[in-house]
Amino acid sequence: MDYDVLILGGGPAGLSTALHLIQRAPHLADRILLLEKAHYPRPKLCAGGLTPDAEILLERLGLDVSEVPHMDASAAHFDFEGKGLSISLPKRHVLRIIRRDEFDAWLAGKTRESGIEIREGVTVKVVRPDADGVTVITDQGNYCAKVVIGADGSNGVTRRCMLPNAPVYTARVLEVITPTRPGPLPSPPPSDANTSIRWGRVPEGRVGVAFFDFFPVPDGIAGYTWDFPTQVRGQPMRCWGIYDTNMLASDSRPPLKEPLREEMARQGFDLDEYEIQGHPIRWFEPSNPISVPRVLLVGDAAGADPLFGEGISMALGYGKLAAWELEQAFSTGDFSFSGYKRRLAWSALGQTLFARWFIASIIYPLKWRWFQILLWRILKPVVVLVAWIFILNWGKRLKT
Ligand SMILES: Cc1cc2nc3c(=O)[nH]c(=O)nc-3n(C[C@H](O)[C@H](O)[C@H](O)COP(=O)(O)OP(=O)(O)OC[C@H]3O[C@@H](n4cnc5c(N)ncnc54)[C@H](O)[C@@H]3O)c2cc1C
């Protein structure tokens, strides 16, 4: 057997699995290999919003994410037709916004420093488990391992090979980067990115705020538009986008671009002036399988948050749970992973994923205007309480 553990995919889920595993079982360091098809820093379409839960999980790995260039949002505003609910936290930001090329390259650097080998530029083609191990066929040759971790994201090959008939639950997402004020994108700034970036001039009311707008729901889009502060190579920017869980896919819906165009136009931006990019997010559905003998899925390959499409903190959390599963499997010799899904369900990560799936299954299908007004304007205290108990604060409760 070439390796004990092969991790397929070097995003937050794969890197977190590696880092948590080395924390639990340092003797395995030279028996773990991570394969990544791209080269760091590699582009990854993502708004880069890190919740406090993500930061807690990183802190517990001994990592300080403020080393990565970022913008902080001091409040999150949830809007419906011009009014809504703002959430802020005492003495800290609600969201830290990073760029994924920088964040993932930083996390990969930390993983390498911990002694784990990462092989870049290797694309996995086929994953084939048998009774004794798993064969992974790549464009650079074959690898064999006792166990494989499928951390290859929403379009990953591991899930397709392992669970070809399992239903697919994916959201559609579009993203656009603009300057802070309407106008063309500035020419690329120097690359000496500073980690503390000052705000550019942004219209009042949205300065330092992560803005979510649910106005597209009555039109059959089960999601929201967003407008986040961000930075690109040290230059303040805005990251806009639209998220649709596809939970209302059977209804007739406007194309995703139109509501985003409408939202940006309200702020004086013309969508057509900027590059628009799209990528799916596979979301968590409680009945969906997440392992087969000798193979565990983590991160988007297992399922991200259906409510907001948040997946970075979840990916970090899955890595922590998978490391525990691996440690147990190697100490008992049982590689069936038959309890992984049950243990996920009972964990703080599983509880928040279930709560988010449940809430999404209610608030998006109830798409009437009056319901959205009730939710975001009238039931504010209830929404904050539910968010506090069921959606946030799971990172510090995630124990293994
Ligand atoms: C537009 C958009 C905006 C988003 N905004 C946010 C946000 O603000 N906050 C948030 O928390 N989440 C956000 N998400 C979700 C978040 O990006 C994902 O949940 C997160 O990246 C999942 O991490 P992962 O490690 O599971 O997968 P990924 O980050 O997708 O990493 C998978 C890795 O596997 C590699 N890989 C894939 N296939 C192969 C192969 N065959 N062989 C080898 N390597 C392979 C890829 O190159 C990649 O490095 C957003 C997603 C989108 C699309």
Side-chain angles (χ1 to χ4, degrees):
M1 207 60 67
D2 300 341
Y3 292 93
D4 282 346
V5 182
L6 269 182
I7 300 174
L8 313 182
L15 296 167
S16 165
T17 305
L19 286 162
H20 280 102
L21 186 55
I22 207 72
Q23 209 177 44
R24 299 194 79 98
H27 60 282
L28 287 178
D30 57 358
R31 304 291 305 147
I32 306 169
L33 177 67
L34 191 151
L35 301 177
E36 165 55 50
K37 73 174 176 188
H39 291 270
Y40 301 106
R42 55 105 178 79
K44 163 71 183 101
L45 194 69
C46 182
L50 289 183
T51 56
D53 291 309
E55 289 192 54
I56 286 167
L57 292 168
L58 290 166
E59 272 163 27
R60 289 189 176 170
L61 284 168
L63 303 179
D64 177 5
V65 73
S66 67
E67 291 171 9
V68 182
H70 60 268
M71 282 284 203
D72 287 343
S74 57
H77 181 82
F78 302 86
D79 203 271
F80 185 75
E81 294 183 355
K83 280 193 210 150
L85 151 76
S86 285
I87 294 181
S88 52
L89 298 173
K91 294 189 196 152
R92 67 162 298 156
H93 49 277
V94 285
L95 216 56
R96 170 154 287 176
I97 296 127
I98 46 79
R99 297 302 300 160
R100 284 290 301 279
D101 54 344
E102 293 166 331
F103 176 78
D104 290 21
W106 168 79
L107 204 55
K110 298 293 178 190
T111 306
R112 280 196 165 116
E113 278 169 26
S114 76
I116 291 176
E117 186 186 351
I118 300 178
R119 229 166 262 178
E120 298 176 48
V122 181
T123 301
V124 174
K125 302 286 186 192
V126 176
V127 180
R128 196 178 290 149
D130 60 36
D132 302 321
V134 189
T135 304
V136 173
I137 301 172
T138 78
D139 62 351
Q140 317 271 325
N142 297 355
Y143 295 83
C144 291
K146 288 184 184 154
V147 175
V148 156
I149 303 296
D152 42 359
S154 291
N155 289 328
V157 72
T158 315
R159 177 180 269 279
R160 278 206 304 279
C161 291
M162 294 305 91
L163 300 158
N165 301 319
V168 176
Y169 300 96
T170 51
R172 44 186 196 145
V173 197
L174 299 179
E175 186 177 299
V176 175
I177 300 287
T178 72
T180 53
R181 292 246 164 192
L185 281 169
S187 52
S191 60
D192 56 336
N194 194 328
T195 52
S196 60
I197 291 126
R198 289 171 60 79
W199 264 98
R201 293 187 315 128
V202 172
E204 269 180 42
R206 289 202 180 182
V207 177
V209 175
F211 200 90
F212 300 80
D213 199 325
F214 291 82
F215 78 92
V217 177
D219 291 328
I221 287 178
Y224 59 89
T225 61
W226 78 80
D227 171 12
F228 288 0
T230 191
Q231 58 78 40
V232 177
R233 281 189 273 158
Q235 188 119 345
M237 297 276 181
R238 286 166 86 159
C239 174
W240 307 76
I242 182 161
Y243 172 77
D244 178 11
T245 60
N246 267 324
M247 277 182 179
L248 306 175
S250 53
D251 299 4
S252 66
R253 298 167 297 169
L256 218 46
K257 236 172 142 177
E258 293 318 310
L260 180 58
R261 183 192 306 286
E262 193 183 322
E263 167 67 357
M264 290 176 69
R266 269 196 285 272
Q267 300 295 317
F269 289 83
D270 178 359
L271 175 63
D272 292 331
E273 282 185 30
Y274 307 100
E275 186 190 1
I276 183 160
Q277 291 181 279
H279 196 277
I281 302 179
R282 173 185 294 285
W283 44 264
F284 169 84
E285 204 280 341
S287 65
N288 223 343
I290 53 170
S291 67
V292 297
R294 294 193 178 272
V295 183
L296 288 178
L297 299 177
V298 292
D300 280 12
D305 156 36
L307 185 59
F308 293 107
E310 185 201 339
I312 305 172
S313 65
M314 275 82 202
L316 298 171
Y318 274 114
K320 183 167 177 153
L321 295 181
W324 188 88
E325 295 290 329
L326 289 169
E327 192 192 21
Q328 295 302 307
F330 281 103
S331 66
T332 60
D334 175 1
F335 296 101
S336 67
F337 297 124
S338 54
Y340 177 46
K341 191 165 166 188
R342 182 168 32 88
R343 278 185 285 273
L344 169 70
W346 283 106
S347 73
L349 170 62
Q351 287 163 12
T352 191
L353 282 169
F354 184 85
R356 290 167 190 238
W357 168 80
F358 184 72
I359 294 167
S361 310
I362 293 175
I363 69 163
Y364 291 136
L366 295 180
K367 57 181 190 168
W368 307 291
R369 206 174 152 260
W370 66 264
F371 180 77
Q372 298 300 320
I373 290 173
L374 184 74
L375 187 66
W376 301 113
R377 298 196 201 159
I378 297 163
L379 294 179
K380 283 186 204 181
V382 180
V383 171
V384 172
L385 192 68
V386 168
W388 193 253
I389 297 173
F390 296 110
I391 295 184
L392 302 169
N393 300 315
W394 59 269
K396 58 170 111 67
R397 287 189 285 112
L398 185 65
K399 306 229 161 54
T400 51

